[in-house]
Amino acid sequence: MFVRNAWYVAAWGTELDDGLVARRICDEAIVLFRTNGRAWAIEDRCCHRAAPLRLGQVIPTGVQCGYHGLVFDGSGRCVMIPGQDTIPDNVRVRSYPVVEQDQMIWIWMGEAEVADANLIPRFPYHDDAKNWPHKRKLLQVKAHYMLIVDNLMDFTHLAYVHQKNFGGDPEGHVVAPIQVVDRTLRGVRFTRWINDRPPPPTILNAVPFKGNIDRWQDVEFIAPAAIVQKSGSVDAGTGGRDADCSQGGFQARLFHGITPETENSSLYFWSIGNGHRTDDPSATETLFQEIAGAFEEDRVILEAEQASLSESGEGGLINVKSDRTRLIARHVVDLMLQAESGERKLAIA
Amino acid sequence: MFVRNAWYVAAWGTELDDGLVARRICDEAIVLFRTNGRAWAIEDRCCHRAAPLRLGQVIPTGVQCGYHGLVFDGSGRCVMIPGQDTIPDNVRVRSYPVVEQDQMIWIWMGEAEVADANLIPRFPYHDDAKNWPHKRKLLQVKAHYMLIVDNLMDFTHLAYVHQKNFGGDPEGHVVAPIQVVDRTLRGVRFTRWINDRPPPPTILNAVPFKGNIDRWQDVEFIAPAAIVQKSGSVDAGTGGRDADCSQGGFQARLFHGITPETENSSLYFWSIGNGHRTDDPSATETLFQEIAGAFEEDRVILEAEQASLSESGEGGLINVKSDRTRLIARHVVDLMLQAESGERKLAIA
Amino acid sequence: MFVRNAWYVAAWGTELDDGLVARRICDEAIVLFRTNGRAWAIEDRCCHRAAPLRLGQVIPTGVQCGYHGLVFDGSGRCVMIPGQDTIPDNVRVRSYPVVEQDQMIWIWMGEAEVADANLIPRFPYHDDAKNWPHKRKLLQVKAHYMLIVDNLMDFTHLAYVHQKNFGGDPEGHVVAPIQVVDRTLRGVRFTRWINDRPPPPTILNAVPFKGNIDRWQDVEFIAPAAIVQKSGSVDAGTGGRDADCSQGGFQARLFHGITPETENSSLYFWSIGNGHRTDDPSATETLFQEIAGAFEEDRVILEAEQASLSESGEGGLINVKSDRTRLIARHVVDLMLQAESGERKLAIA
């Protein structure tokens, strides 16, 4: 069960530069492509003999099927049948609303008439290469997308899953107060501080702090599937979040676009914008590699968690104190699901 | 659902020279072997502890199970139980009618009493190595066997799937008239001409034509699962199908034996008999390699088509003009299926 | 369907020396570990978010989950929740009775209150390295555990499956009388003699006999899943089982612990204690390697048998003379299953 009246990341914009991109989203097979500078998404199944269109090619008028040569435009309409002069109106495949913004291809999986581009989460750092040089990755995780959201809503896992990179200091993570947890219009936001504690290996790799640091994370979940995260660190007691980190602190902006692929797998689009030593490409690269390693640690535990849940369900599970934010996020998504299954015309935002 | 009262290719004759051959046909596990010069097919499951007989070995009296040594002859009767003097009559496994003809092992999957060897499709070229030197291959295709038949009943796919070998000239394929489509007693036959067009890469590789060619394909489908194809090319305007191709034209005889393995996979036995430069083994080898490459292209698209149909069925699919012959072939097979499920004693031919 | 009120081998004792061991037993996911010198087994699923505990680590107080750091002791009770002061009583996972004996970890999968350590099969040779130097292995076999028991209850298969190592002499195996078959209190025992026959390759590898040998196997099945086997050989006519084999004969003690993993797979713990040339480690190693090769032959046929049974069931199978002991073993296990499904309080021994 997926929220369908929602925008999901379907691809990085640059992926469409080389032709067709095939994706499974909300368990539907889709091909993405660009013609005349505009991005499109249509069903990945020719309506002639069901051959996947991903085996075809992009031509100026649309996508040509690789089996018998039928051509479909971005609206899903068939515009050419080899050897046949007329094309009946019913020769078409499904199309999906698509918007290209912030270097990402966003897709709307629900009713086209209520697709509102203003609801798309923003990540302006992608277009600010000077101040926020970034690098990004698509990771397939064989787990329901809400397990990834869960993971990102409870940072106590850093102390155990990421001990060797972002964790480092179990005690610090456990005693860290969540200073603010705010229900937002479309999700939940929390700000977390760890003050005057030793820096974890990854942050020390990025910036050679001499002693303890003040460290913060500001994380906003925009339901059902996007998270914008701001993280930073400075020498303990030197100004915290308000400090100018170009002067020796650490700053990062992370985007997490978590797109349901199937009930048991997700497409995890993540991007790291680097705000320290912004004129040194190796600073961005090093940070990217550290995070990629950490998210691989998440992937291992999330896939094991999914396998466990697939086998034995949620029976007997209990919540603990650190689940608070996660439960709010789950609640918001549940409301969206209820709105869709019941009174579908309710506003989703 | 398979047509059972029918002959299918189970193996190339030479395969039995080296001992047991195990095959799954119409979703039944079978072992094939030869004793005293005669080919046999029996159930691949010992009736003692269900061990597959394919793990045993051929001995003069039959197949000996590799677990506890029971021996079954070609009729399926147990002829030896180690350590036991008497063998009850019920100790037997199923056997299948088998005929070895044209260097192929044919098997009848239905009622033994109506198995008529006269119904076996013929391909005499296998035994005419002088005029038709040949080479053959068994290709597993993870698709329902009728998808392979579909593929061979509509040659417009050559322009898209095989553009780099047998296609080459999309325009030529699309405008080519199917000159004759005949319903036959046991299937359908079509003859296709492409006149005065540039030769595709594969034919040019075989024969260095200087200019345009006249090219033809004569394809007979013998339901439910055999296709005999005659193809040729000559210099445009020099006599067409009646030309003596040993004088510089191109000639080929193809056999396609498409045996259902499971509902979603097939054993595709194909053979190419070469009729040009018949005294040069490299001519046959080159042609074989080109066709093997082309059929691999078919395999990729057919398996993707099967996956798509397995997921979303036939719903919403439409037929186009070039489907005509394919639909006749489907109709003939449907009649055979109806005959089997209803009045089973109806003649199948 | 598994017998649950029974002891199964869960691990070799030494496996717990290096930390957690994860096993699936009777289709339940379990982690085994040792704290303060005592072995424990608990459910491999954290009761917080279902993460498998096998991804965590052993600490002095128990197992710490690798996701959010909860700690469970050997009784399954949660003894630490990071960031939370109180731990409700219901925060626990299932635990299983465990006994470490004869260098094996035994687990009881049924009702804890009837777990009686006196019922655990003994194999004292593991603790007698001087007279019975041994080597052991865990082999996963993708077959129901009773197929492995079947295999070990009918040694006529040696002539066919193990012809090149322990078989060697089909005629000898088939004519060998089973001299004694005894129903025991908890299973069945058979003693088998093959007198005055040529030694098979493996035994000849171990001891360079000059001529024919007298060979015996004494095999006790302790239902549902343990077999203790004593085997030996001496020069034909020189005293048989009563001979002192340190003087030139061959002696072995085998333990077979066959633990159901799922309905279609088993954990086969086996061990070989060597009683000839006991002061030469290479004698034990050679014997171990020969047996490992033979059990690999069993694995191949057992997995093929399982696949065949999974597809077509037991329908049409017949029993032969050599099935006698196997059928008794099956009967004993059936009685245990009936006792569990019906009057569960019946004594199981």
Side-chain angles (χ1 to χ4, degrees):
Chain A
M1 203 163 50
F2 310 109
V3 177
R4 296 199 164 263
N5 282 336
W7 293 101
Y8 294 103
V9 183
W12 302 119
T14 49
E15 290 184 276
L16 301 198
D17 297 347
D18 302 323
L20 281 171
V21 170
R23 291 276 142 80
R24 181 168 291 269
I25 299 176
C26 296
D27 224 353
E28 297 181 9
I30 292 167
V31 282
L32 299 141
F33 58 99
R34 211 188 268 119
T35 53
N36 299 320
R38 182 165 164 194
W40 304 97
I42 63 174
E43 194 181 350
D44 185 17
R45 175 185 184 259
C46 180
C47 67
H48 172 218
R49 292 301 302 144
L53 293 174
R54 66 178 169 273
L55 298 179
Q57 58 180 330
V58 183
I59 61 173
T61 48
V63 174
Q64 181 162 41
C65 179
Y67 199 176
H68 299 99
L70 281 71
V71 179
F72 300 89
D73 70 13
S75 76
R77 196 170 58 90
C78 179
V79 295
M80 205 266 273
I81 302 177
Q84 181 170 327
D85 294 334
T86 58
I87 303 174
D89 271 352
N90 67 334
V91 185
R92 53 170 56 247
V93 297
R94 181 174 173 188
S95 72
Y96 298 82
V98 162
V99 172
E100 186 163 4
Q101 184 172 281
D102 295 335
Q103 302 191 23
M104 294 182 271
I105 309 293
W106 293 86
I107 192 168
W108 180 267
M109 296 301 295
E111 301 154 282
E113 59 269 32
V114 293
D116 177 357
N118 292 315
L119 295 174
I120 299 173
R122 298 305 305 252
F123 193 72
Y125 311 99
H126 273 166
D127 280 323
D128 186 1
K130 184 173 181 303
N131 295 306
W132 296 99
H134 75 275
K135 193 163 174 186
R136 53 207 181 189
K137 188 166 181 176
L138 167 53
L139 183 68
Q140 195 204 35
V141 180
K142 293 192 185 98
H144 189 281
Y145 80 103
M146 284 304 294
L147 298 190
I148 305 177
V149 173
D150 283 346
N151 177 278
L152 292 162
M153 291 293 105
D154 178 2
F155 274 24
T156 64
H157 82 271
L158 270 65
Y160 305 99
V161 180
H162 308 305
Q163 195 157 359
K164 290 175 188 156
N165 39 60
F166 286 92
D169 174 24
E171 187 68 15
H173 281 279
V174 168
V175 300
I178 293 180
Q179 293 184 310
V180 190
V181 175
D182 283 321
R183 205 42 210 264
T184 65
L185 206 55
R186 299 168 55 199
V188 61
R189 174 180 175 171
F190 66 89
T191 307
R192 193 167 176 267
W193 288 83
I194 304 174
N195 283 337
D196 201 15
R197 304 289 308 188
T202 290
I203 289 179
L204 208 52
N205 263 0
V207 178
F209 289 109
K210 295 281 185 287
N212 281 357
I213 58 171
D214 291 347
R215 181 180 176 196
W216 64 92
Q217 293 128 352
D218 179 325
V219 179
E220 183 180 3
F221 171 59
I222 303 134
I227 290 166
V228 174
Q229 174 183 348
K230 302 173 187 174
S231 295
S233 304
V234 292
D235 287 318
T238 62
R241 190 154 55 163
D242 303 320
D244 177 357
C245 287
S246 63
Q247 307 303 320
F250 169 81
Q251 279 276 19
R253 299 291 178 267
L254 281 96
F255 176 80
H256 311 262
I258 307 148
T259 302
E261 188 182 36
T262 69
E263 283 289 343
N264 293 324
S265 69
S266 303
L267 300 170
Y268 184 4
F269 294 86
W270 66 266
S271 173
I272 169 74
N274 168 39
H276 80 286
R277 288 195 286 134
T278 53
D279 50 358
D280 177 359
S282 78
T284 305
E285 179 66 26
T286 300
L287 189 55
F288 171 81
Q289 293 299 345
E290 293 271 349
I291 295 176
F295 287 5
E296 182 62 21
E297 291 168 335
D298 286 315
R299 190 187 61 73
V300 169
I301 202 141
L302 290 167
E303 295 189 350
E305 183 190 11
Q306 177 65 60
S308 179
L309 288 167
S310 292
E311 178 177 345
S312 55
E314 300 260 345
L317 299 185
I318 52 93
N319 292 317
V320 301
K321 194 174 157 192
S322 66
D323 285 309
R324 184 181 164 209
T325 319
R326 177 181 92 70
L327 293 171
I328 297 174
R330 287 264 180 177
H331 181 64
V332 176
V333 174
D334 284 346
L335 290 177
M336 294 175 83
L337 285 169
Q338 287 166 27
E340 288 197 8
S341 63
E343 304 172 30
R344 293 179 62 95
K345 295 306 170 201
L346 269 181
I348 63 126
Chain B
M1 203 164 48
F2 309 110
V3 176
R4 295 197 166 264
N5 281 335
W7 293 100
Y8 294 103
V9 183
W12 302 119
T14 48
E15 290 185 275
L16 301 199
D17 297 348
D18 303 322
L20 280 172
V21 170
R23 292 277 141 80
R24 179 167 292 269
I25 300 176
C26 297
D27 225 353
E28 297 181 10
I30 292 166
V31 281
L32 299 142
F33 59 100
R34 211 188 269 120
T35 52
N36 298 321
R38 182 165 164 193
W40 304 97
I42 63 174
E43 194 180 349
D44 185 17
R45 175 185 184 259
C46 180
C47 66
H48 172 218
R49 292 300 302 145
L53 294 174
R54 65 178 170 273
L55 298 179
Q57 59 179 332
V58 183
I59 61 173
T61 49
V63 173
Q64 180 162 42
C65 179
Y67 199 176
H68 300 99
L70 281 72
V71 179
F72 300 88
D73 70 13
S75 76
R77 197 168 58 90
C78 180
V79 295
M80 206 265 273
I81 301 177
Q84 181 170 324
D85 292 334
T86 58
I87 303 174
D89 271 352
N90 67 334
V91 185
R92 54 171 55 248
V93 297
R94 181 174 173 188
S95 72
Y96 298 82
V98 162
V99 172
E100 186 163 4
Q101 183 171 280
D102 296 334
Q103 301 192 23
M104 295 183 271
I105 309 294
W106 293 86
I107 193 170
W108 179 268
M109 297 300 295
E111 302 154 280
E113 59 269 32
V114 293
D116 177 358
N118 293 313
L119 295 174
I120 299 174
R122 299 305 306 252
F123 192 71
Y125 311 98
H126 273 167
D127 280 325
D128 185 3
K130 184 173 181 302
N131 295 307
W132 296 99
H134 75 276
K135 194 162 174 186
R136 52 209 183 188
K137 189 166 181 176
L138 166 54
L139 183 68
Q140 194 205 36
V141 179
K142 293 190 186 101
H144 189 280
Y145 79 102
M146 284 305 295
L147 298 190
I148 305 177
V149 172
D150 284 346
N151 177 278
L152 292 162
M153 291 293 104
D154 178 3
F155 274 25
T156 65
H157 81 271
L158 269 67
Y160 304 100
V161 180
H162 307 308
Q163 195 157 0
K164 289 174 189 159
N165 39 60
F166 286 92
D169 174 24
E171 187 68 16
H173 281 279
V174 168
V175 300
I178 292 180
Q179 292 185 310
V180 191
V181 175
D182 283 322
R183 204 44 208 266
T184 65
L185 206 56
R186 299 169 56 200
V188 61
R189 175 179 175 172
F190 67 88
T191 307
R192 192 166 175 267
W193 287 82
I194 303 174
N195 282 337
D196 200 14
R197 305 287 308 187
T202 291
I203 289 179
L204 207 51
N205 263 0
V207 178
F209 288 111
K210 295 282 186 286
N212 281 358
I213 58 171
D214 291 346
R215 181 180 176 195
W216 66 90
Q217 292 128 355
D218 179 325
V219 179
E220 183 179 4
F221 170 60
I222 303 134
I227 290 167
V228 174
Q229 175 183 348
K230 303 173 186 173
S231 294
S233 303
V234 292
D235 288 318
T238 63
R241 191 156 52 163
D242 302 320
D244 177 355
C245 287
S246 61
Q247 307 302 320
F250 169 81
Q251 280 276 18
R253 299 290 178 268
L254 281 96
F255 176 80
H256 310 262
I258 307 147
T259 302
E261 188 181 37
T262 69
E263 282 289 345
N264 293 324
S265 68
S266 303
L267 300 170
Y268 184 3
F269 294 86
W270 66 266
S271 173
I272 169 73
N274 167 39
H276 79 286
R277 288 195 286 135
T278 52
D279 50 358
D280 177 359
S282 79
T284 305
E285 180 64 28
T286 300
L287 189 55
F288 171 80
Q289 294 298 346
E290 293 271 349
I291 294 176
F295 288 4
E296 182 62 21
E297 292 169 334
D298 286 316
R299 191 187 61 75
V300 169
I301 203 141
L302 290 168
E303 295 189 350
E305 183 190 11
Q306 178 65 60
S308 179
L309 288 167
S310 293
E311 179 177 344
S312 56
E314 300 260 345
L317 299 185
I318 52 92
N319 292 317
V320 301
K321 194 174 158 191
S322 66
D323 285 310
R324 185 182 164 208
T325 319
R326 178 181 90 70
L327 293 171
I328 298 174
R330 287 265 181 176
H331 181 64
V332 176
V333 175
D334 284 346
L335 290 178
M336 293 174 83
L337 286 169
Q338 287 166 27
E340 287 196 10
S341 63
E343 305 172 28
R344 293 179 62 96
K345 295 305 170 202
L346 269 181
I348 62 124
Chain C
M1 204 162 48
F2 310 109
V3 177
R4 296 199 165 263
N5 281 336
W7 292 102
Y8 294 103
V9 183
W12 302 118
T14 49
E15 290 185 276
L16 301 198
D17 297 347
D18 303 323
L20 281 171
V21 170
R23 291 275 142 82
R24 180 168 291 268
I25 300 177
C26 296
D27 224 353
E28 296 181 10
I30 291 166
V31 282
L32 299 141
F33 59 100
R34 211 187 269 119
T35 52
N36 299 320
R38 181 164 165 193
W40 305 97
I42 63 174
E43 193 180 349
D44 184 17
R45 174 184 183 259
C46 181
C47 67
H48 172 219
R49 294 299 302 144
L53 293 173
R54 64 178 171 273
L55 299 179
Q57 58 181 330
V58 183
I59 61 174
T61 49
V63 174
Q64 180 161 42
C65 179
Y67 199 177
H68 300 99
L70 281 71
V71 178
F72 300 89
D73 69 13
S75 76
R77 196 169 58 90
C78 180
V79 295
M80 205 266 273
I81 301 177
Q84 181 170 324
D85 293 334
T86 57
I87 302 174
D89 271 353
N90 66 334
V91 186
R92 53 170 58 248
V93 298
R94 181 175 173 188
S95 72
Y96 299 82
V98 162
V99 171
E100 187 163 4
Q101 183 172 278
D102 296 334
Q103 301 192 24
M104 295 183 271
I105 309 295
W106 293 86
I107 193 168
W108 179 269
M109 298 300 296
E111 302 153 280
E113 58 270 31
V114 293
D116 176 358
N118 292 313
L119 295 174
I120 299 174
R122 300 303 307 252
F123 192 72
Y125 311 99
H126 273 166
D127 280 324
D128 185 2
K130 184 174 182 303
N131 294 307
W132 296 99
H134 76 275
K135 193 163 175 187
R136 52 208 184 189
K137 188 165 181 177
L138 165 54
L139 182 69
Q140 194 204 37
V141 179
K142 293 191 186 101
H144 190 281
Y145 79 103
M146 284 305 294
L147 298 190
I148 304 177
V149 173
D150 283 346
N151 177 278
L152 292 162
M153 290 293 105
D154 177 2
F155 274 24
T156 65
H157 81 271
L158 269 66
Y160 305 99
V161 179
H162 307 309
Q163 194 156 0
K164 291 174 189 157
N165 39 60
F166 286 91
D169 174 24
E171 187 67 16
H173 281 279
V174 168
V175 300
I178 294 180
Q179 293 184 310
V180 191
V181 175
D182 283 321
R183 205 42 209 265
T184 65
L185 206 57
R186 298 168 55 200
V188 61
R189 174 179 175 171
F190 66 89
T191 306
R192 193 168 176 265
W193 288 82
I194 304 175
N195 282 337
D196 200 14
R197 303 289 308 190
T202 290
I203 289 179
L204 207 52
N205 263 0
V207 178
F209 288 110
K210 295 281 185 286
N212 281 358
I213 59 171
D214 291 347
R215 182 181 177 194
W216 64 91
Q217 292 127 355
D218 178 325
V219 179
E220 183 180 3
F221 171 59
I222 303 134
I227 291 166
V228 174
Q229 174 183 349
K230 303 174 186 173
S231 295
S233 303
V234 292
D235 287 316
T238 63
R241 191 153 54 163
D242 303 320
D244 176 358
C245 287
S246 63
Q247 307 302 320
F250 169 82
Q251 279 276 19
R253 298 292 177 266
L254 281 95
F255 176 80
H256 311 263
I258 307 148
T259 302
E261 188 181 37
T262 69
E263 282 289 344
N264 293 324
S265 68
S266 303
L267 301 170
Y268 184 4
F269 294 86
W270 66 267
S271 173
I272 169 74
N274 168 38
H276 80 286
R277 288 194 286 134
T278 53
D279 50 358
D280 177 359
S282 79
T284 305
E285 179 66 27
T286 300
L287 189 55
F288 171 80
Q289 293 298 346
E290 293 271 349
I291 295 176
F295 288 4
E296 182 63 21
E297 292 169 334
D298 285 316
R299 191 188 60 75
V300 169
I301 203 141
L302 290 168
E303 294 188 350
E305 183 190 11
Q306 177 65 61
S308 179
L309 288 167
S310 292
E311 178 177 345
S312 54
E314 299 260 346
L317 298 186
I318 52 93
N319 292 317
V320 301
K321 194 173 158 192
S322 65
D323 285 309
R324 185 182 163 207
T325 319
R326 178 182 91 70
L327 293 171
I328 297 174
R330 287 265 179 177
H331 182 63
V332 176
V333 175
D334 284 345
L335 289 178
M336 293 174 83
L337 286 168
Q338 287 166 27
E340 287 196 10
S341 62
E343 303 171 30
R344 293 180 62 95
K345 296 306 170 201
L346 270 181
I348 62 125

